[in-house]
Amino acid sequence: STSSLESNLEGLAGVLEADLPNYKNKILRILCAVARLLPEKLTVYTTLVGLLNARNYNFGGEFVEAMIRQLKETLKSNLYSEAVYLVRFLSDLVNCHVIAAPSMVAMFENFVSVTQEEEILQVRSDWYVYAVLSCLPWVGKELYEKKDVEMDRLLNQIDGYLKRRQKVHVPMLQVWTAEKPHPQEEFLDCLWAQVQKLKKDRWQERHILRPYIAFDSVLCEALQHNLPPFTPPAHSDEALYPMPRVVFRMFDYTDAPEGPVMPGSHSVERFVIEENLHCIIKSHWRERKTCAAQLLSYPGKNKIPLNYHIVEVIFGELFQLPSPPHIDVMYTALLIELCKLQPGSLPQVLAQATEMLYMRLETMNTTCIDRFISWFSHHLSNFQFRWSWDDWADCLTVDLEKPKPKFVREVLEKCMRLSYHQRIVDIVPPSFSALIPAEPQYHYKYGDESNSSLPGYAVAIAVGNAIKNRASNEEILTTLKELPNPNQEEDDDEGDGFNPLKIDVFLQTLLHLAAKSFSHSFSALAKFHEVLKTLTESDEGKLHILRVVYEAWRNHPQVTTVHFPCTRISLPRLYTARFSVLFYVWEILHSTIRKMNKHVQKIQKELEEAKDKLEKQQHKKQKDSGDEEDMEKNSEDEDGQLEEQIERLQEKVESAQSEQKNLFLVIFQRFIMILTEHLVRCETGSVDINTCWYKNCIERLQQIFLMACELLPACLPNACSGIACEDSSVASATAASVRSRRYSVRKMIMKQQEPRQHSPAITRTGTVCVCANGTEERGEDETNQWLELSQITIIIKTCPAKKHGEDVCVGVFPHWPAATLFIQGIVIRGGGHENDAVNGNNGHK
Amino acid sequence: GNRHDQEKLLKQSCTLYVGNLSFYTTEEQVYDLFSKSGDVKRIVIGLDKIKKTACGFCFVEYYTRTDAENAMRFINGTRLDDRIIRTDWDAGFKEGRQYGRGKSGGQVWF
């Protein structure tokens, strides 16, 4: 019953009206903030504003103006989701007789006209169309009643726009590659279908709570305001439009066994419910208890299978690509709270969801599987690891590398990390023993007497004693000196020499002695950092260190994960070794990328702070008067120091950004190498390229691309050298799918036999062929050219290679639609038609 | 230091005190759990002053305040080794603080 809500609103309106003379600005500010930050309570507050407007026309006008100002601010500050909430609030004010319908339609027309802009970024026009469409559940009825001709025209324009849009990016954002049972729709497509259905239902919408209906007699007496004409702000280089997304669906009306039926996927109710639940999480994610309570007290919950909606929305966020809106662990904590508050119903829904996710592992995106594993193992650790493992006995009957057994193995691995080996043995049925992880143990080959014939065995003992007796670094190096170098010839190369046996003996022994705990290992590595450095001056040497650590801790991947970032070795070299299959290797890679990013951000922050300080100082100087001579000298010194500091920091930032770029480039390069090797190997062996490994690897690469998209804009310079873009009109057609940032990237060139021409067939989809002269060496980048990316997508030459080593000319750009093409190109390369790649078809899924 | 300084330290701290651990909980387990909110800089396992064995608490230090805040929000009050652990802001680890302050060597509980 809403009667108490109504009387509260009535009362509040009265109080505020009385306060207006004294506190008008404060009230304006608060109401504007509420519109922006509490979208789930939209209709409550629009009603309030409606009541105030009915009592005080001027206030209504001032509120509308303040909202428009706020809208401009949020758009300028790249707060696009808040901007949507503001537009929606304004549109609902039409229902409250605060804003005249025609002026709202005019604003919508201005929004949609953005789609007519020349050389526009698709993400920009997407947002404006989304803003309009997402208001229609609230205000569609009213606007159609007043201005149906204009609204029809508007919707037609939108329809035309949606048909023109590029959707090359969609596969990269989908959680599952399969269309069944629920297609993962592009978000605008889904919303459009929902709006069309709503229109067919003559805009009858019954889910949204509308308190203003009860006040209709009061509100319709009010005078309405016209929205001032609103011109969407022009595009600027600083604009960071929201990334496109895909609607996550895992449930439908067949899944909730009893009780209210789940609204269909194209019903507007579904949209509104999901929107509101997302908004609640956005408002309350920091406080998991409040968030859970708010979710469970969703108004109208008795008419919908709320638990299913909540679970679906939460998993939708958790699996969102490239990254969830909030930190992963929040979702685990939130689900635990929800289980606590609804112990009789929510755990069952969650179990059902888990079961469904397990059943569909084969087509689930690898990154999402990672998150599923992390979530599930952490969740289980809070519930004594209770699970009906026997239900998953089917995973025992297939190859252990297949998705289902791999999933179970990795879940058990993660569960073990949170507990201990014997616990895992105890919780699974004996039939699952093949999937139980090995007991984490340090593998010290020199500790086993049966290995006494190994070269270096005796020296290992000597080194061990030396370390225990706190020998100096020099003494230790002397002890190692007598070890022969198995790579004798390489010793002759300048700078390449390293003795793998020395590294092996020293590092193995050191880690063995320090194997007790992480802290011990870290101290040991730190203490003997100098010795390690001496032994491994070359990159090859560093790589060997990684190999040794990997071998030694083979059964304890967690240690390896934590060790690598700590040994300060250039990580990308890791991937020339065949580590790519192992789950925890990705943890290391992502951890490295994360740390690099934090490093860059930290220095950028220092730079900003120094700049602010200088500005403040100079500002202060202008204001102060006084003993001019003394003041000037002091402040000049201070300024000078600060300016120097700023210059130093600027250099630091640039060098850090350059390191970060390099990291991504090397990662991409390595991926291309191993992917190409796989493709070539399969072709020469006439084997299907689509192995589990391949799917895994491609999706990993996709994820890195998406991460680069998110992280790199902040650091790349805008200007770069020219590029061989042969057909600029074609390039501009693709600009629609490009983000506003300009990316420069080094072209990675693989073995190529002859320079390729720009093929006219390619222009159909507007991609541009970027090729360059090849080189002899595989993986070597001769040209070192930096290319301007803003209008380019990639091309991959996809003619199936008839012979080993034929051209794989690849320009790679960390730009997501292009990246999709690249991925598709690789997928298709194995056996598809060149035209498939050109048309962006998922020919080869 | 005085109370004002203490409060200031706590507001800037990246270190958490973690209580109610099982005596058998290892450093690796703590790492794994607390890494879920960010990269862990170091962990110091609390020891019985006399026996020098783990006695149910530890310190977890992060590189950034944000990561520590997220641990307070999402790891505090959940389970590790089947026990509900409790985290609190800590002014910062200092040598000596890893020992339990109880008379028999273990940790004091409130």
Side-chain angles (χ1 to χ4, degrees):
Chain A
S1 133
T2 56
S3 57
S4 65
L5 173 62
E6 284 152 25
S7 56
N8 280 341
L9 280 171
E10 182 102 57
L12 186 53
V15 166
L16 289 176
E17 188 198 0
D19 279 336
L20 278 177
N22 297 324
Y23 298 107
K24 182 183 68 177
N25 285 331
K26 192 163 186 185
I27 293 172
L28 277 175
R29 248 197 340 265
I30 293 175
L31 285 174
C32 281
V34 156
R36 198 163 49 92
L37 302 171
L38 287 181
E40 64 270 24
K41 304 256 194 271
L42 168 66
T43 51
V44 171
Y45 290 102
T46 52
T47 308
L48 179 62
V49 172
L51 291 173
L52 284 172
N53 179 56
R55 295 163 189 237
N56 188 322
Y57 178 77
N58 285 334
F59 176 76
E62 288 190 62
F63 177 74
V64 171
E65 278 169 19
M67 285 285 283
I68 294 292
R69 273 196 306 272
Q70 207 187 193
L71 178 59
K72 290 192 175 130
E73 272 305 310
T74 50
L75 288 174
K76 218 168 86 179
S77 318
N78 286 323
L79 295 169
Y80 285 95
S81 39
E82 293 182 11
V84 170
Y85 304 151
L86 292 175
V87 176
R88 219 179 270 162
F89 197 95
L90 287 171
S91 71
D92 203 43
L93 285 179
V94 173
N95 293 325
C96 301
H97 298 261
V98 178
I99 292 179
S103 68
M104 194 73 224
V105 175
M107 182 189 232
F108 283 169
E109 283 168 348
N110 281 348
F111 274 31
V112 174
S113 69
V114 167
T115 62
Q116 305 298 320
E117 282 175 13
E118 296 240 325
E119 301 213 8
I120 187 179
L121 298 179
Q122 185 167 296
V123 281
R124 171 175 158 87
S125 42
D126 274 0
W127 184 83
Y128 283 97
V129 167
Y130 174 72
V132 171
L133 288 178
S134 74
C135 293
L136 295 183
W138 281 265
V139 77
K141 180 151 179 272
E142 186 69 19
L143 292 183
Y144 248 83
E145 274 173 18
K146 299 275 159 60
K147 284 279 183 181
D148 62 337
V149 171
E150 287 79 356
M151 286 301 291
D152 269 335
R153 192 165 55 220
L154 200 70
L155 290 186
N156 277 336
Q157 266 187 298
I158 292 178
D159 193 19
Y161 169 71
L162 292 176
K163 292 196 166 88
R164 294 197 305 268
R165 282 172 85 227
Q166 280 252 28
K167 287 195 284 200
V168 158
H169 53 280
V170 173
M172 252 171 102
L173 301 175
Q174 288 173 324
V175 174
W176 291 287
T177 53
E179 283 275 305
K180 294 191 184 332
H182 309 113
Q184 307 289 294
E185 282 183 283
E186 210 270 345
F187 80 115
L188 267 187
D189 285 344
C190 186
L191 182 52
W192 178 242
Q194 288 162 330
V195 166
Q196 296 222 282
K197 183 160 184 296
L198 179 62
K199 181 175 173 195
K200 247 206 261 176
D201 293 341
R202 286 168 332 129
W203 305 99
Q204 299 299 322
E205 187 288 318
R206 269 172 275 271
H207 178 80
I208 296 174
L209 182 73
R210 297 178 195 258
Y212 38 83
I213 293 178
F215 293 102
D216 199 46
S217 50
V218 171
L219 293 176
C220 70
E221 297 294 316
L223 288 173
Q224 295 169 322
H225 305 265
N226 281 321
L227 275 175
F230 185 88
T231 320
H235 171 68
S236 88
D237 273 346
E238 271 76 44
L240 270 176
Y241 303 102
M243 271 185 107
R245 50 197 186 282
V246 151
V247 177
F248 177 83
R249 288 280 160 70
M250 65 181 294
F251 292 129
D252 60 37
Y253 69 95
T254 62
D255 293 306
E258 323 147 330
V261 172
M262 194 167 223
S265 59
H266 284 167
S267 70
V268 87
E269 281 78 22
R270 195 72 179 263
F271 172 76
V272 172
I273 294 166
E274 287 168 356
E275 251 311 275
N276 282 335
L277 293 178
H278 282 300
C279 288
I280 292 175
I281 295 176
K282 188 167 191 280
S283 299
H284 300 288
W285 66 271
R286 291 176 192 82
E287 280 118 49
R288 65 198 204 228
K289 294 195 203 294
T290 310
C291 195
Q294 287 289 317
L295 285 170
L296 289 171
S297 56
Y298 181 73
K301 62 184 175 176
N302 296 321
K303 306 200 194 97
I304 55 175
L306 182 62
N307 285 342
Y308 285 86
H309 285 290
I310 290 176
V311 167
E312 188 177 67
V313 163
I314 288 177
F315 277 127
E317 289 200 7
L318 180 63
F319 295 138
Q320 184 177 289
L321 293 170
S323 21
H326 308 288
I327 188 173
D328 296 38
V329 70
M330 184 279 283
Y331 299 101
T332 313
L334 180 59
L335 283 168
I336 293 174
E337 284 307 312
L338 287 164
C339 284
K340 276 195 212 160
L341 290 176
Q342 296 264 293
S345 55
L346 206 118
Q348 289 85 323
V349 177
L350 203 48
Q352 191 180 349
T354 306
E355 179 67 34
M356 288 169 96
L357 293 171
Y358 169 80
M359 293 307 293
R360 302 176 60 191
L361 278 171
E362 253 113 52
T363 54
M364 193 184 212
N365 178 289
T366 303
T367 307
C368 298
I369 297 181
D370 277 354
R371 293 189 204 153
F372 181 24
I373 292 168
S374 287
W375 166 74
F376 188 49
S377 51
H378 189 187
H379 182 84
L380 285 180
S381 74
N382 274 272
F383 294 95
Q384 298 103 44
F385 297 106
R386 274 183 276 120
W387 183 251
S388 46
W389 299 99
D390 276 318
D391 288 352
W392 289 354
D394 64 333
C395 76
L396 299 169
T397 59
V398 294
D399 184 307
L400 287 187
E401 281 304 313
K402 287 266 185 271
K404 281 182 181 174
K406 189 157 188 265
F407 167 77
V408 173
R409 261 193 303 139
E410 290 179 355
V411 165
L412 294 179
E413 168 76 50
K414 289 221 129 168
C415 285
M416 185 179 74
R417 289 201 211 178
L418 288 169
S419 58
Y420 50 94
H421 189 258
Q422 187 57 42
R423 190 82 203 278
I424 305 307
V425 173
D426 292 340
I427 61 164
V428 295
S431 50
F432 275 70
S433 57
L435 300 179
I436 295 177
E439 207 169 333
Q441 258 166 13
Y442 185 77
H443 174 65
Y444 182 46
K445 63 179 176 217
Y446 302 111
D448 189 348
E449 273 179 14
S450 61
N451 284 338
S452 56
S453 56
L454 280 177
Y457 182 81
V459 176
I461 298 183
V463 167
N465 289 332
I467 295 174
K468 280 189 246 186
N469 294 329
R470 298 168 197 270
S472 72
N473 287 354
E474 288 76 28
E475 290 168 326
I476 292 177
L477 284 168
T478 312
T479 318
L480 290 168
K481 226 185 176 118
E482 58 177 84
L483 285 172
N485 189 339
N487 296 343
Q488 207 64 0
E489 300 103 55
E490 285 177 28
D491 251 353
D492 298 326
D493 287 339
E494 280 179 17
D496 249 17
F498 76 100
N499 186 334
L501 186 56
K502 279 190 188 172
I503 295 175
D504 202 56
V505 166
F506 174 67
L507 196 49
Q508 275 244 347
T509 307
L510 179 65
L511 292 177
H512 165 69
L513 290 174
K516 189 166 176 212
S517 75
F518 284 171
S519 297
H520 289 85
S521 302
F522 290 166
S523 313
L525 286 171
K527 193 165 169 205
F528 291 99
H529 180 64
E530 285 304 320
V531 176
L532 279 173
K533 251 175 95 171
T534 315
L535 293 175
T536 63
E537 268 153 12
S538 66
D539 269 356
E540 280 305 316
K542 289 180 185 161
L543 183 60
H544 194 71
I545 289 192
L546 296 179
R547 283 199 196 101
V548 172
V549 175
Y550 165 65
E551 273 305 311
W553 279 110
R554 195 172 35 213
N555 288 333
H556 201 335
Q558 186 190 16
V559 177
T560 326
T561 313
V562 175
H563 266 111
F564 278 167
C566 150
T567 48
R568 286 176 260 191
I569 291 167
S570 107
L571 251 298
R573 299 293 300 191
L574 177 63
Y575 304 98
T576 52
R578 290 180 185 290
F579 292 160
S580 42
V581 184
L582 300 160
F583 170 55
Y584 60 89
V585 167
W586 304 109
E587 286 185 46
I588 298 172
L589 177 56
H590 286 281
S591 160
T592 311
I593 293 175
R594 227 178 25 239
K595 288 198 169 150
M596 178 71 89
N597 191 49
K598 276 192 183 160
H599 174 64
V600 170
Q601 283 180 339
K602 182 163 164 258
I603 308 179
Q604 281 173 332
K605 191 163 165 232
E606 285 175 30
L607 178 60
E608 287 307 308
E609 283 171 0
K611 281 186 180 164
D612 281 344
K613 206 170 155 196
L614 181 64
E615 211 181 289
K616 276 197 187 109
Q617 236 172 256
Q618 291 177 332
H619 190 66
K620 191 165 175 258
K621 223 180 5 173
Q622 284 170 4
K623 284 168 65 175
D624 279 347
S625 62
D627 192 336
E628 300 226 342
E629 234 179 72
D630 276 351
M631 289 274 294
E632 242 184 69
K633 185 165 187 308
N634 285 342
S635 57
E636 248 172 49
D637 277 344
E638 280 172 17
D639 272 5
Q641 269 180 5
L642 257 187
E643 276 163 8
E644 242 183 71
Q645 188 189 20
I646 288 177
E647 215 181 285
R648 259 181 295 125
L649 282 173
Q650 189 77 47
E651 275 171 27
K652 249 178 123 183
V653 165
E654 278 163 16
S655 124
Q657 287 173 343
S658 159
E659 259 188 76
Q660 187 182 37
K661 262 185 289 183
N662 251 350
L663 175 63
F664 276 109
L665 290 175
V666 175
I667 291 173
F668 291 145
Q669 194 173 22
R670 302 301 168 189
F671 263 104
I672 292 172
M673 282 170 68
I674 58 179
L675 283 169
T676 312
E677 276 175 25
H678 170 80
L679 292 173
V680 162
R681 226 179 309 127
C682 288
E683 270 159 22
T684 50
S686 300
V687 166
D688 183 16
I689 61 167
N690 277 326
T691 60
C692 295
W693 177 88
Y694 184 64
K695 171 183 183 285
N696 208 284
C697 195
I698 285 278
E699 287 174 351
R700 299 268 177 216
L701 175 57
Q702 278 180 354
Q703 184 64 11
I704 308 285
F705 269 133
L706 292 172
M707 285 173 76
C709 262
E710 284 195 320
L711 299 179
L712 287 184
C715 80
L716 288 169
N718 275 331
C720 15
S721 51
I723 184 252
C725 172
E726 298 197 53
D727 186 345
S728 61
S729 64
V730 161
S732 51
T734 66
S737 46
V738 176
R739 293 194 66 157
S740 61
R741 296 293 162 182
R742 290 163 179 221
Y743 303 114
S744 0
V745 109
R746 195 188 302 163
K747 222 173 13 184
M748 280 162 264
I749 299 158
M750 311 290 286
K751 203 166 195 168
Q752 182 174 352
Q753 291 182 335
E754 59 184 306
R756 292 286 177 153
Q757 297 306 313
H758 174 182
S759 155
I762 295 166
T763 62
R764 244 180 295 156
T765 53
T767 59
V768 174
C769 172
V770 175
C771 294
N773 296 323
T775 66
E776 291 303 319
E777 303 274 311
R778 201 153 217 244
E780 216 81 272
D781 182 350
E782 284 286 85
T783 64
N784 208 13
Q785 240 182 325
W786 288 85
L787 309 168
E788 177 154 337
L789 219 216
S790 63
Q791 296 144 30
I792 322 301
T793 52
I794 341 138
I795 190 71
I796 185 175
K797 283 320 240 173
T798 61
C799 3
K802 307 270 181 334
K803 26 194 203 291
H804 175 88
E806 188 172 317
D807 168 48
V808 183
C809 166
V810 177
V812 179
F813 303 82
H815 146 226
W816 51 262
T820 315
L821 261 186
F822 167 65
I823 304 303
Q824 291 176 340
I826 287 211
V827 170
I828 291 157
R829 187 189 187 283
H833 199 269
E834 175 164 11
N835 283 333
D836 282 339
V838 159
N839 289 326
N841 286 336
N842 296 352
H844 198 85
K845 283 288 153 113
Chain B
N2 66 33
R3 187 170 152 191
H4 176 75
D5 285 345
Q6 183 74 352
E7 275 177 20
K8 197 162 161 216
L9 281 174
L10 289 178
K11 279 207 160 59
Q12 297 166 344
S13 169
C14 299
T15 306
L16 299 179
Y17 170 90
V18 183
N20 203 36
L21 295 177
S22 150
F23 285 18
Y24 299 100
T25 297
T26 62
E27 196 183 318
E28 284 82 357
Q29 284 170 281
V30 175
Y31 246 107
D32 208 71
L33 181 61
F34 282 84
S35 294
K36 290 179 188 292
S37 73
D39 296 311
V40 170
K41 190 170 174 185
R42 76 170 156 169
I43 294 177
V44 181
I45 298 284
L47 302 173
D48 181 299
K49 193 155 191 156
I50 299 163
K51 292 185 253 178
K52 301 289 198 290
T53 53
C55 66
F57 72 96
C58 73
F59 296 93
V60 175
E61 190 184 340
Y62 289 94
Y63 290 98
T64 70
R65 169 89 184 178
T66 310
D67 294 344
E69 282 171 359
N70 282 333
M72 286 289 288
R73 289 178 184 131
F74 308 122
I75 300 177
N76 184 18
T78 66
R79 290 183 192 265
L80 177 58
D81 254 344
D82 296 312
R83 297 168 68 94
I84 295 187
I85 58 173
R86 189 196 83 222
T87 66
D88 268 316
W89 289 110
D90 189 83
F93 175 74
K94 285 201 169 62
E95 186 54 43
R97 295 191 62 222
Q98 71 268 42
Y99 296 110
R101 288 168 298 154
K103 282 210 198 102
S104 51
Q107 179 61 310
V108 187
W109 302 105
F110 297 105

